[in-house]
Amino acid sequence: MDIAVLAGVGLALFMVLFGIISGGGDFAAFINIPSLFIVIGGSIGATIAANPKDIGFKIVQISLEALKEPKIDYINLLRTLVSLSEKARREGLLSLEENIEQIDDPFMKKAIQLVVDGTEPELLKSMLQIEIDVMNSEMSLKRGLFESLGAYAPAFGMIGTLIGLIQMLKSLNDPNSLGPSMAVALITTMYGSIIANAAALPLAEKIGKRMINLEMEKTMIVEGVLSIQAGENPRILEEKLKAFLPANLREQYEAATQEATA
Amino acid sequence: MDIAVLAGVGLALFMVLFGIISGGGDFAAFINIPSLFIVIGGSIGATIAANPKDIGFKIVQISLEALKEPKIDYINLLRTLVSLSEKARREGLLSLEENIEQIDDPFMKKAIQLVVDGTEPELLKSMLQIEIDVMNSEMSLKRGLFESLGAYAPAFGMIGTLIGLIQMLKSLNDPNSLGPSMAVALITTMYGSIIANAAALPLAEKIGKRMINLEMEKTMIVEGVLSIQAGENPRILEEKLKAFLPANLREQYEAATQEATA
Amino acid sequence: MDIAVLAGVGLALFMVLFGIISGGGDFAAFINIPSLFIVIGGSIGATIAANPKDIGFKIVQISLEALKEPKIDYINLLRTLVSLSEKARREGLLSLEENIEQIDDPFMKKAIQLVVDGTEPELLKSMLQIEIDVMNSEMSLKRGLFESLGAYAPAFGMIGTLIGLIQMLKSLNDPNSLGPSMAVALITTMYGSIIANAAALPLAEKIGKRMINLEMEKTMIVEGVLSIQAGENPRILEEKLKAFLPANLREQYEAATQEATA
Amino acid sequence: MDIAVLAGVGLALFMVLFGIISGGGDFAAFINIPSLFIVIGGSIGATIAANPKDIGFKIVQISLEALKEPKIDYINLLRTLVSLSEKARREGLLSLEENIEQIDDPFMKKAIQLVVDGTEPELLKSMLQIEIDVMNSEMSLKRGLFESLGAYAPAFGMIGTLIGLIQMLKSLNDPNSLGPSMAVALITTMYGSIIANAAALPLAEKIGKRMINLEMEKTMIVEGVLSIQAGENPRILEEKLKAFLPANLREQYEAATQEATA
Amino acid sequence: MDIAVLAGVGLALFMVLFGIISGGGDFAAFINIPSLFIVIGGSIGATIAANPKDIGFKIVQISLEALKEPKIDYINLLRTLVSLSEKARREGLLSLEENIEQIDDPFMKKAIQLVVDGTEPELLKSMLQIEIDVMNSEMSLKRGLFESLGAYAPAFGMIGTLIGLIQMLKSLNDPNSLGPSMAVALITTMYGSIIANAAALPLAEKIGKRMINLEMEKTMIVEGVLSIQAGENPRILEEKLKAFLPANLREQYEAATQEATA
């Protein structure tokens, strides 16, 4: 579970509730089933039309998936690559075959398998790059789903409000109904804005930022595996990969390594 | 037919109808022929002016075309390339001439024809790249058509509403006509917003995402054909192209292949 | 004349007129000379300030130029390049000097002249590329002019409406004048929106799309001329350049060629 | 002085005045000192916070500088480079030392000095490129200043209007003061919009377009100086640099050259 | 402390206060605790959801950090690199080990350490580039935090205003409460707009512009260190790095150098 998504969306929605409560707490005034249908139905319809068939129809499944955070353990990754490098120097590249089973990350697993199979460096590099591109393109299709939703929800909110206003204005003879009718019309805009700003757009941004991190991790693995294949010194490999770590993780890694060697 | 476009646009429009019905169902209040003319005529006019002549005037034909989904069968594509690669290794590049007839995809057909004709690898690559660029540029002209429509429809909706408001405000002497006149003025904005958000913008997005997929497919074919021409091992070709498949298709392909060899 | 610009802008403006007529046809209500001055003067002023001196002051001349469509005849271009290639193979590069006179396109004229003068391939390529860059940069300055106008016209429309509203609100004592005053205030916004959406923005888009087509055409010429200079086989040149043609033109070219050889 | 900026901004502001005069000319209704303070103070504050210290605090000085137009005389530049090239061919690169004094442009001065000093071509090229990058980065910081101002002025205009509306609505008991209070509230939005659209945004655009021209000029100098250093034929240099000139300047240059040689 | 941020944000906020005071100074009318909660809570919630966990939860800490200005002393940097270059030429690369302690900048420290360790030029360059990329990616995550806040604050401001309007319109029976209720509803929009325009967006811009400067500085160090490693002439190094200085710093540096050598 990505605790930041849950906590953030939860906090944002709670604040909306708090606004309603602090204004008198008349919840009924904020619930309007047709408005909900127009906004959710309309924006999901437009989102399905705008996205590839196999992505658009799985909108609920992808939303649930987006709540899971891909775990990236840079320190462990660096340690694994250094130890594989050391083993390869001592016992040869073929000896890495024994370690493939223990590798969790499927991308790294495949990369090491290709090294053991004796794939040419150029081919290895281009195959791993294609994998990264395909991963990026799948994630950006998922991000596109939430971007669509975040754009169409306010639009259908406004369409719903226009429908409500037109209905209200057509029958303006009863001035007492003016206020409540207008309130109902505005609810649709509010729903659209909440869906976009408290859920769809933050999720789209989050997926975009995960993409950057995952690409960084994969690039680190590619650098490491190519260095192992080339038989580079494990110390140089370590130095090179440490450059990928942000300052705090680097200190953490160095502390842990010193402890281990002490 | 692209079922996602039909279902999505259908759902979005149904939700708008539902909003009208649930508010009393006075359909007549939402129909205003002059408003429809201003929005549709104005935005189609601006779209025609903004786009190349041969694209702009075919706006209806291109809309119908956009409902068709280009079918990309990655698994079949991979299988065809692998089997062509095996044949070329066994019987020589010239033997592929017999297979050209059976290839459906015109891009792949042309690529194999060029290989059989003995085109230099560099020239082959640059000719296929030009084809991809021309395809992309044609598709992005089509996408541009719907982007124009999606931008001008709300703009002419607003222009129509301003016309209605000015007419209403000029003759404010009858307070009873105020409401209905304003309702009519707002209908134009509503039409513009529906055209943009339930049709034009989703179609523009959809074409953009199709472009990404088609370019991926063509890149896969180029990689495959160059590998065949270079006489690479069919197993390496297979591994390389499998990297293009998203995870679920890769499993499907492997399952199918295992079955076939079992 | 670019018939699409004329027809499109004409249709869009007609629809605005139609909206006014269908609402009663009180044209006088929509004409306000000061509003017209504020929007046109203000947005032209800002556009002149935002653009290079020699471009900004020629705004009318450039608008008229933008109505002319640059004619690109791909088929004729391809045929000319192929026949020049055949002649160069038969009679040598110097023999092309006789043909320079008959070439219409000044870019191609210059390119062939450079080939006849014996310019080095590298220098030839970089000189032609600079010409393309300069052409692109001139066109994007022109596009920028209409983009400025399309952005400042609605802004000055809103400024005019604010001026009108402030004047109206200052002297609110006569409730009967409220409506007409507000109508006048809104006219400025309407003018700004019409100028932007029925003229300036479509023209800016159009120039942008012409740029793409012209760059494609120039790239085709560069490819062709370099191939002629290198003494490549005219059949290969033909195949290469055919890749630039969209599907419908390619068929047309092939039909015409078959006819000629039959 | 950049006459286009003065004339353009002057025209835009005059149109605003004209709008006020034509609506009755009650200037007092459009002057509100606190509104002016909120918009100018607020947007300058945000602009200072958003920009580097040494840029932000010099906002007035940079505005005055932006009124000066950098003069680019392409024809003179081309002529100077050709004559330096001829001299270098006749008397050697060292002889250019005598001409350095007469060169106005500091960039070209430095480039020729480096050539005379015997700088390696690779190093020369990379040093000149760094100069261009630094110039671009300084200019885009200046452009950024006006972009910030153009974005924050309307925002603080709206904040000022919201303050005015809240004050008005709190004390709604006197209906007669409603109109004038609302007029005052709207003045702030008007000020923000005028500052952005009649001054800040056009200046930002202008600087951006000057950047493109200056980069083109510097690129032309780099090409010329590298060609001089390589001892290329002055005629080739001339042809190469003429490609940088837009069509009208090229004719002007050719006419002037013919006259000189006649 | 970054005095420009403090002064700028201070000025902007003071102007808002001034607007309230000049309108009568009824501060109570502008304070509404629930509104504050909705805007701050809602936008922080959405920002946390949209950003990586370890960044989002440290929003306060990162805001405080953003007030510190990274000090870049180009002149000192240039002087240090030149003197290291001179020493390396006289006493060899290994002699630089003694100077490492005195270097403040951790990036330059690491670079010199790598040179002393005898790292290959290619590896050195790629390791330093990775460090720059990681630094950029960390800073752009921080910028992203304030961009999120700047986008969500006005959105939740609008949501709060919609809640207020709906509550007001539902109970429209007391016309006297209309004004004050609407005032309260508008406060939320005002808060959102102030948070975005007087704090979040300027900070996001500022971080973006710092990134450009820091990257320039790091690039200068990389150029310098590679030149030292290659044993280039310190005078050439000095000339090369002087190209990075903006005009005013270059004069300052030359004046200071002349003084020192006089």
Side-chain angles (χ1 to χ4, degrees):
Chain A
M1 276 298 129
D2 186 332
I3 217 164
V5 170
L6 289 182
V9 170
L11 177 59
L13 291 179
F14 175 78
M15 282 305 156
V16 172
L17 284 183
F18 170 81
I20 293 172
I21 291 166
S22 73
D26 177 11
F27 278 101
F30 292 91
I31 291 171
N32 186 278
I33 302 298
S35 296
L36 206 61
F37 270 75
I38 296 174
V39 174
I40 295 188
S43 57
I44 286 189
T47 299
I48 286 175
N51 285 280
K53 205 168 50 188
D54 48 332
I55 292 284
F57 285 143
K58 291 193 201 145
I59 195 163
V60 175
Q61 183 191 326
I62 289 172
S63 300
L64 292 175
E65 260 177 51
L67 297 178
K68 270 190 244 146
E69 171 140 66
K71 221 184 126 230
I72 304 182
D73 182 346
Y74 282 112
I75 291 183
N76 189 36
L77 180 63
L78 175 41
R79 217 171 271 158
T80 308
L81 285 165
V82 170
S83 82
L84 289 175
S85 168
E86 284 163 348
K87 184 164 182 200
R89 292 265 281 193
R90 274 198 319 270
E91 313 172 26
L93 286 173
L94 288 179
S95 74
L96 299 182
E97 185 140 37
E98 308 154 13
N99 300 73
I100 290 173
E101 277 305 292
Q102 300 140 32
I103 300 172
D104 286 334
D105 186 278
F107 180 78
M108 190 164 156
K109 201 170 206 150
K110 172 159 187 190
I112 297 293
Q113 182 67 59
L114 286 166
V115 168
V116 170
D117 293 352
T119 316
E120 295 280 300
E122 265 319 290
L123 182 61
L124 174 63
K125 202 175 169 181
S126 86
M127 282 174 75
L128 296 178
Q129 191 52 51
I130 291 170
E131 295 249 349
I132 293 177
D133 293 350
V134 170
M135 180 196 79
N136 272 340
S137 128
E138 277 184 80
M139 287 193 79
S140 79
L141 280 176
K142 286 178 188 172
R143 182 182 56 180
L145 205 65
F146 295 105
E147 283 174 345
S148 298
L149 207 56
Y152 294 122
F156 279 89
M158 204 193 82
I159 290 171
T161 295
L162 285 168
I163 292 175
L165 287 177
I166 291 167
Q167 277 164 338
M168 179 191 91
L169 290 162
K170 275 282 168 181
S171 52
L172 212 63
N173 27 25
D174 175 13
N176 284 344
S177 75
L178 184 74
S181 299
M182 203 163 166
V184 170
L186 286 179
I187 286 176
T188 334
T189 290
M190 189 189 77
Y191 286 168
S193 196
I194 290 174
I195 289 172
N197 290 293
L201 294 177
L203 265 176
E205 270 197 61
K206 172 70 106 188
I207 294 177
K209 281 165 188 177
R210 277 184 199 152
M211 268 172 77
I212 298 173
N213 279 332
L214 283 172
E215 192 172 3
M216 183 75 97
E217 187 212 13
K218 300 306 183 227
T219 308
M220 200 170 151
I221 294 176
V222 172
E223 286 282 334
V225 169
L226 288 175
S227 166
I228 290 172
Q229 195 187 35
E232 271 181 22
N233 187 323
R235 290 289 74 73
I236 289 179
L237 168 72
E238 191 179 13
E239 275 310 309
K240 216 167 162 180
L241 297 186
K242 264 164 66 183
F244 281 99
L245 303 186
N248 57 337
L249 283 183
R250 210 178 292 176
E251 281 165 33
Q252 212 177 310
Y253 174 79
E254 277 161 8
T257 311
Q258 238 151 9
E259 223 166 76
T261 54
Chain B
M1 276 298 131
D2 187 332
I3 216 163
V5 169
L6 288 183
V9 170
L11 177 58
L13 291 179
F14 174 79
M15 282 304 157
V16 171
L17 284 183
F18 171 80
I20 293 171
I21 292 166
S22 72
D26 177 12
F27 277 102
F30 291 91
I31 291 170
N32 186 277
I33 303 298
S35 296
L36 206 61
F37 271 76
I38 296 174
V39 173
I40 294 188
S43 56
I44 286 189
T47 299
I48 286 175
N51 285 281
K53 205 169 50 190
D54 48 333
I55 291 286
F57 286 144
K58 290 192 202 146
I59 194 162
V60 175
Q61 182 191 326
I62 289 173
S63 301
L64 291 176
E65 260 178 50
L67 297 178
K68 270 189 243 144
E69 172 139 65
K71 219 183 127 231
I72 304 182
D73 182 345
Y74 283 112
I75 291 182
N76 188 35
L77 180 63
L78 177 40
R79 217 172 272 159
T80 308
L81 285 165
V82 170
S83 81
L84 289 174
S85 169
E86 284 163 349
K87 186 169 182 196
R89 292 263 281 195
R90 273 197 319 269
E91 313 173 25
L93 287 173
L94 288 178
S95 73
L96 299 182
E97 186 140 37
E98 308 153 14
N99 301 74
I100 290 172
E101 278 306 292
Q102 300 139 31
I103 300 172
D104 287 333
D105 185 277
F107 180 79
M108 191 163 155
K109 200 170 206 150
K110 172 160 187 189
I112 297 291
Q113 182 67 60
L114 287 166
V115 167
V116 170
D117 293 353
T119 317
E120 296 280 300
E122 265 320 291
L123 182 60
L124 174 63
K125 203 176 169 180
S126 86
M127 281 175 74
L128 296 178
Q129 191 53 52
I130 290 169
E131 294 250 348
I132 293 176
D133 293 350
V134 170
M135 179 196 79
N136 273 339
S137 127
E138 277 184 79
M139 286 193 79
S140 80
L141 281 176
K142 286 179 188 171
R143 182 183 55 182
L145 205 64
F146 296 105
E147 283 173 347
S148 299
L149 206 56
Y152 294 123
F156 279 88
M158 203 193 83
I159 291 171
T161 296
L162 285 167
I163 293 175
L165 287 177
I166 291 167
Q167 278 164 338
M168 179 191 90
L169 290 163
K170 274 284 168 180
S171 52
L172 212 61
N173 26 25
D174 175 12
N176 284 343
S177 76
L178 184 74
S181 300
M182 204 162 166
V184 170
L186 287 179
I187 285 176
T188 334
T189 290
M190 189 189 76
Y191 286 168
S193 196
I194 290 174
I195 289 172
N197 291 292
L201 295 178
L203 264 176
E205 270 196 62
K206 172 70 106 187
I207 293 176
K209 282 165 188 176
R210 277 185 198 152
M211 269 173 77
I212 298 173
N213 279 332
L214 282 172
E215 192 173 3
M216 183 76 96
E217 186 212 12
K218 300 306 184 227
T219 309
M220 201 170 150
I221 294 176
V222 172
E223 286 282 335
V225 170
L226 288 175
S227 167
I228 290 173
Q229 194 187 37
E232 272 180 22
N233 187 322
R235 290 289 73 74
I236 289 180
L237 169 71
E238 190 179 14
E239 275 309 309
K240 216 166 162 181
L241 297 186
K242 263 162 67 184
F244 280 98
L245 303 187
N248 57 337
L249 285 183
R250 210 177 293 176
E251 281 164 32
Q252 213 176 310
Y253 174 78
E254 276 161 8
T257 312
Q258 240 151 6
E259 224 166 77
T261 54
Chain C
M1 276 298 131
D2 187 332
I3 216 164
V5 169
L6 289 183
V9 170
L11 177 58
L13 291 178
F14 175 78
M15 282 305 156
V16 171
L17 284 183
F18 171 81
I20 293 172
I21 292 165
S22 72
D26 178 12
F27 278 103
F30 291 92
I31 291 170
N32 187 277
I33 302 298
S35 295
L36 206 61
F37 271 75
I38 296 175
V39 173
I40 294 188
S43 56
I44 286 190
T47 299
I48 287 174
N51 285 280
K53 205 168 51 189
D54 49 331
I55 291 285
F57 286 144
K58 290 190 201 148
I59 195 163
V60 176
Q61 182 190 326
I62 289 172
S63 300
L64 291 175
E65 260 178 50
L67 296 179
K68 269 189 243 146
E69 172 139 65
K71 220 182 127 235
I72 304 183
D73 182 346
Y74 283 112
I75 290 183
N76 189 35
L77 180 63
L78 177 40
R79 217 171 271 160
T80 308
L81 285 166
V82 170
S83 82
L84 289 174
S85 169
E86 284 164 348
K87 186 170 181 196
R89 292 263 283 193
R90 275 196 319 269
E91 315 173 24
L93 286 174
L94 288 179
S95 73
L96 299 182
E97 186 140 38
E98 309 153 13
N99 301 73
I100 290 173
E101 278 306 290
Q102 301 141 29
I103 301 172
D104 287 333
D105 185 277
F107 180 78
M108 191 163 154
K109 201 171 206 150
K110 172 159 187 191
I112 297 293
Q113 182 67 61
L114 286 167
V115 168
V116 170
D117 293 352
T119 316
E120 295 280 301
E122 264 321 289
L123 183 59
L124 174 64
K125 202 176 170 181
S126 85
M127 281 175 75
L128 296 178
Q129 192 53 51
I130 290 169
E131 294 251 350
I132 293 176
D133 293 350
V134 170
M135 179 196 78
N136 272 339
S137 127
E138 276 184 81
M139 286 193 79
S140 79
L141 280 175
K142 286 178 188 170
R143 182 184 54 182
L145 206 64
F146 296 104
E147 282 173 345
S148 299
L149 207 56
Y152 294 123
F156 279 90
M158 204 193 82
I159 290 172
T161 295
L162 285 167
I163 292 175
L165 287 178
I166 291 167
Q167 278 164 339
M168 178 191 90
L169 290 163
K170 273 285 167 181
S171 52
L172 212 61
N173 26 26
D174 176 12
N176 284 344
S177 74
L178 184 73
S181 300
M182 204 161 165
V184 171
L186 286 180
I187 285 176
T188 335
T189 290
M190 189 189 77
Y191 286 169
S193 196
I194 290 173
I195 289 172
N197 290 294
L201 295 177
L203 265 175
E205 269 195 64
K206 173 70 107 188
I207 294 177
K209 282 165 188 176
R210 277 184 198 151
M211 268 172 78
I212 298 172
N213 278 333
L214 282 171
E215 192 172 3
M216 183 76 96
E217 186 211 13
K218 300 306 183 226
T219 308
M220 200 169 150
I221 294 176
V222 172
E223 286 282 333
V225 170
L226 288 175
S227 167
I228 290 172
Q229 195 186 37
E232 271 180 21
N233 188 322
R235 289 290 74 73
I236 288 180
L237 169 70
E238 191 180 14
E239 276 308 308
K240 215 167 161 181
L241 297 186
K242 264 163 65 184
F244 281 98
L245 304 186
N248 57 337
L249 285 182
R250 210 177 293 175
E251 282 165 32
Q252 213 176 312
Y253 174 78
E254 276 161 8
T257 312
Q258 238 148 11
E259 224 165 76
T261 55
Chain D
M1 275 301 129
D2 186 333
I3 216 164
V5 169
L6 289 182
V9 170
L11 177 58
L13 291 179
F14 174 78
M15 282 304 154
V16 172
L17 283 182
F18 171 81
I20 293 172
I21 292 165
S22 72
D26 176 11
F27 278 102
F30 291 91
I31 291 170
N32 187 277
I33 303 298
S35 295
L36 206 61
F37 271 75
I38 295 174
V39 173
I40 295 188
S43 56
I44 286 189
T47 299
I48 287 175
N51 286 280
K53 205 168 51 189
D54 49 331
I55 292 284
F57 286 143
K58 290 190 200 149
I59 195 162
V60 176
Q61 182 190 325
I62 290 172
S63 299
L64 291 175
E65 261 176 50
L67 296 178
K68 269 189 243 145
E69 173 139 63
K71 220 183 128 234
I72 305 182
D73 182 346
Y74 282 113
I75 290 182
N76 189 34
L77 180 62
L78 176 42
R79 219 172 269 158
T80 308
L81 285 167
V82 170
S83 82
L84 289 175
S85 169
E86 285 163 347
K87 186 169 181 197
R89 291 264 281 193
R90 275 197 319 271
E91 314 173 25
L93 286 173
L94 288 179
S95 74
L96 299 182
E97 185 139 38
E98 308 153 14
N99 301 72
I100 289 173
E101 276 308 290
Q102 301 140 30
I103 301 171
D104 287 333
D105 185 277
F107 179 79
M108 191 164 154
K109 201 171 207 150
K110 173 158 186 190
I112 297 293
Q113 183 66 60
L114 286 167
V115 167
V116 170
D117 293 352
T119 316
E120 295 280 302
E122 265 319 289
L123 183 60
L124 174 63
K125 203 177 169 180
S126 86
M127 281 176 75
L128 296 178
Q129 191 53 52
I130 290 169
E131 295 250 350
I132 294 176
D133 293 350
V134 169
M135 179 197 78
N136 272 339
S137 128
E138 278 184 80
M139 286 193 80
S140 79
L141 281 175
K142 286 177 188 172
R143 183 183 54 182
L145 205 64
F146 295 105
E147 283 173 346
S148 299
L149 207 57
Y152 294 123
F156 279 90
M158 203 193 83
I159 290 172
T161 295
L162 285 168
I163 292 175
L165 287 178
I166 291 167
Q167 278 164 340
M168 180 192 89
L169 290 163
K170 274 284 169 183
S171 52
L172 212 62
N173 27 25
D174 176 12
N176 284 343
S177 75
L178 184 74
S181 300
M182 204 161 164
V184 170
L186 285 180
I187 286 176
T188 334
T189 290
M190 190 189 76
Y191 286 168
S193 196
I194 290 174
I195 290 172
N197 290 294
L201 294 177
L203 265 176
E205 269 195 64
K206 173 70 108 187
I207 294 176
K209 281 164 188 177
R210 277 184 197 152
M211 268 172 77
I212 297 173
N213 278 332
L214 283 172
E215 191 172 2
M216 183 75 96
E217 185 211 15
K218 300 307 184 225
T219 308
M220 200 170 151
I221 294 176
V222 172
E223 286 283 334
V225 170
L226 288 176
S227 166
I228 290 172
Q229 196 186 37
E232 271 181 21
N233 186 323
R235 290 290 72 74
I236 289 180
L237 169 72
E238 191 179 13
E239 275 309 306
K240 215 167 160 180
L241 297 186
K242 263 163 66 185
F244 281 99
L245 303 186
N248 57 338
L249 285 182
R250 211 178 292 176
E251 282 165 31
Q252 213 177 310
Y253 174 79
E254 275 161 8
T257 311
Q258 238 150 8
E259 224 167 74
T261 56
Chain E
M1 276 299 129
D2 187 332
I3 217 163
V5 170
L6 289 182
V9 170
L11 177 58
L13 291 178
F14 174 78
M15 282 305 155
V16 171
L17 284 183
F18 170 81
I20 293 172
I21 291 166
S22 72
D26 177 12
F27 277 103
F30 291 91
I31 291 170
N32 186 278
I33 303 297
S35 295
L36 205 62
F37 271 75
I38 295 173
V39 174
I40 295 189
S43 56
I44 286 189
T47 300
I48 287 175
N51 285 279
K53 205 168 51 189
D54 48 331
I55 292 284
F57 286 143
K58 290 192 200 147
I59 195 164
V60 175
Q61 183 191 325
I62 290 172
S63 299
L64 292 176
E65 260 177 50
L67 297 178
K68 269 189 244 146
E69 173 140 64
K71 221 183 127 232
I72 304 183
D73 182 346
Y74 282 113
I75 291 182
N76 190 35
L77 180 63
L78 176 40
R79 217 171 271 157
T80 308
L81 284 166
V82 169
S83 82
L84 289 175
S85 169
E86 285 164 347
K87 186 166 180 199
R89 291 265 281 193
R90 275 197 320 270
E91 313 173 26
L93 286 173
L94 288 179
S95 74
L96 298 183
E97 185 139 38
E98 307 154 12
N99 300 73
I100 290 173
E101 276 306 291
Q102 300 141 31
I103 300 172
D104 286 335
D105 186 276
F107 180 78
M108 190 164 157
K109 201 170 207 151
K110 172 158 188 191
I112 298 293
Q113 182 66 58
L114 286 167
V115 167
V116 171
D117 292 353
T119 316
E120 295 280 302
E122 265 319 290
L123 183 59
L124 174 63
K125 204 176 168 180
S126 86
M127 282 175 75
L128 296 178
Q129 192 52 51
I130 290 170
E131 294 249 349
I132 292 176
D133 293 349
V134 170
M135 179 196 79
N136 273 339
S137 128
E138 278 184 79
M139 286 193 80
S140 79
L141 280 175
K142 286 178 187 171
R143 183 183 54 180
L145 205 63
F146 295 106
E147 282 173 346
S148 299
L149 207 55
Y152 294 123
F156 279 90
M158 204 193 80
I159 290 171
T161 295
L162 285 168
I163 292 175
L165 287 178
I166 291 168
Q167 278 164 339
M168 179 192 90
L169 290 163
K170 274 283 169 182
S171 51
L172 212 64
N173 26 25
D174 176 13
N176 284 343
S177 75
L178 185 74
S181 300
M182 204 162 164
V184 170
L186 286 179
I187 286 177
T188 334
T189 289
M190 189 189 77
Y191 286 168
S193 196
I194 291 174
I195 289 171
N197 291 293
L201 294 177
L203 265 175
E205 271 197 62
K206 172 70 107 187
I207 294 176
K209 282 165 187 177
R210 276 184 198 152
M211 267 171 78
I212 297 172
N213 278 333
L214 283 172
E215 192 172 2
M216 182 76 97
E217 186 212 13
K218 300 307 184 226
T219 308
M220 199 171 153
I221 294 176
V222 172
E223 286 282 335
V225 170
L226 288 175
S227 166
I228 290 172
Q229 195 187 36
E232 272 181 21
N233 187 323
R235 289 291 71 74
I236 289 180
L237 168 72
E238 191 179 13
E239 275 309 308
K240 215 167 162 181
L241 297 186
K242 264 164 65 183
F244 281 98
L245 303 187
N248 57 337
L249 284 182
R250 210 177 292 177
E251 283 165 30
Q252 213 178 312
Y253 174 79
E254 276 160 8
T257 312
Q258 238 150 9
E259 223 166 76
T261 55

